[in-house]
Amino acid sequence: MASDPVDRRELARLPIGMFDSGMGGLTVLHECLVTMPSEDFVYLGDTARFPYGEKSQQELEQFSVQIAAFLERVGVKLLVVACYSATSAALPALQERFSTPIVGVVMPGARAAVQSSRYRRIGILATEATVVSGAYPRAIHSLDSGAEVVQQACPGLVSFIQEGDVASRELADAVRGFTVPLRERRPDVVIMGCTHYPLIAPMLQRHLGRDVTLVNPAAEIALEVEGILARQSIARNEAREGSYRFYSTGDAEAFRTVGARFLQMPLDEVAPVTLDELAALV
């Protein structure tokens, strides 16, 4: 027990790990950088296997385990699964397999939606994999068993945003097509159930209507991570500016260029990681 404070100080110096299928998770990283400016972060974007929303649960679990093993080898004190599809498919398996604390992105958004909804009618805009998993209805009903939950899958929407398209006519037409059936059910709160969607929040708000509250779980996730670090006494509380670094399984230069728009902060260098490297870890 006497060595525990020293161990916690050493643990506190480690970065927070984060991964996503691509660049959408950078919206979560942005909120974390703002909320916890003293912390270091390491982020892996699995762009070679993007998008995750069209993959099977078995594939998503395999990919997630590989990436978690990589980040644990790098050395992290907490891992954020900054991808709704991966969280929905693989979070329990990750938490069972790894000793590092692991945070998903579903429950923080569900909690914020339940707390924000006046009429207990909650909509979800998400990828096909997230909708099929049923993760959001389960999370919401664990908090409010009487809430009405309406899900809308948005196949292909994430690809527009990943490629840097946040304002084209084609994107607007796709958004209109996905929001019309959701709007007919009259939710008063809608969760942006994909980390890419906050980049088109103004467009979503326009098509959903101004009376609908849009929930961006990224800010809630950052607060949850901050709380876990504080409770476990592994936060970096000294006055310093934390660092952040990146890995990508795909085109590192494309990640650096497009990723800066998602992060809204400088993104100078991206280290490549091959899929063979990841596969060899598990």
Side-chain angles (χ1 to χ4, degrees):
M1 292 295 292
S3 63
D4 185 60
V6 175
D7 294 340
R8 287 182 183 272
R9 284 198 297 270
E10 292 175 355
L11 193 58
R13 296 189 187 100
L14 293 176
I16 296 165
M18 190 176 296
F19 76 89
D20 181 34
S21 62
M23 302 175 197
L26 294 173
T27 61
V28 178
L29 178 57
H30 172 87
E31 293 294 336
C32 288
L33 290 171
V34 171
T35 304
M36 296 165 281
S38 298
E39 297 288 349
D40 297 332
F41 292 86
V42 55
Y43 179 103
L44 189 147
D46 192 12
T47 51
R49 297 184 286 206
F50 174 88
Y52 274 14
E54 301 168 4
K55 303 294 193 298
S56 69
Q57 178 174 348
Q58 183 178 6
E59 288 176 306
L60 292 174
E61 189 171 314
Q62 178 187 10
F63 300 166
S64 299
V65 167
Q66 290 174 354
I67 295 169
F70 174 83
L71 291 172
E72 195 168 72
R73 189 182 67 173
V74 168
V76 297
K77 60 184 176 184
L78 182 143
L79 178 60
V80 180
V81 185
C83 173
Y84 292 90
S85 299
T87 295
S88 302
L91 185 61
L94 293 175
Q95 291 173 331
E96 182 178 343
R97 181 165 184 148
F98 296 96
S99 58
T100 303
I102 301 176
V103 176
V105 289
V106 170
M107 185 55 79
R111 187 179 299 113
V114 168
Q115 292 172 351
S116 302
S117 179
R118 294 179 59 199
Y119 304 112
R120 302 168 74 195
R121 291 196 302 269
I122 299 171
I124 315 293
L125 290 168
T127 65
E128 294 166 288
T130 298
V131 168
V132 168
S133 75
Y136 261 117
R138 284 196 302 275
I140 291 168
H141 288 146
S142 73
L143 301 167
D144 180 356
S145 60
E148 179 185 348
V149 181
V150 184
Q151 298 193 93
Q152 176 63 50
C154 306
L157 189 59
V158 70
S159 295
F160 283 102
I161 306 166
Q162 177 84 357
E163 293 166 8
D165 179 359
V166 295
S168 72
R169 171 54 56 189
E170 292 76 15
L171 173 65
D173 290 342
V175 168
R176 182 182 297 105
F178 294 135
T179 53
V180 164
L182 190 63
R183 208 168 70 190
E184 289 173 351
R185 301 289 296 275
R186 301 180 63 191
D188 67 317
V189 172
V190 171
I191 301 172
M192 292 184 284
C194 173
T195 51
H196 287 69
Y197 295 174
L199 272 294
I200 59 167
M203 188 179 291
L204 291 171
Q205 190 74 69
R206 171 177 169 77
H207 288 286
L208 288 168
R210 65 182 183 180
D211 294 332
V212 172
T213 299
L214 268 183
V215 172
N216 176 7
E220 306 297 327
I221 295 160
L223 293 174
E224 181 152 325
V225 170
E226 184 182 38
I228 292 171
L229 297 183
R231 287 190 294 272
Q232 296 190 7
S233 302
I234 55 173
R236 297 202 70 157
N237 297 316
E238 65 267 41
R240 66 186 295 271
E241 182 177 336
S243 64
Y244 47 94
R245 53 196 168 109
F246 303 91
Y247 295 92
S248 173
T249 59
D251 186 331
E253 181 58 26
F255 186 99
R256 188 188 69 79
T257 304
V258 180
R261 295 202 291 269
F262 284 77
L263 188 63
Q264 301 175 57
M265 293 184 186
L267 201 165
D268 298 322
E269 188 174 336
V270 181
V273 179
T274 68
L275 297 181
D276 287 341
E277 286 180 75
L278 295 181
L281 294 173
V282 295

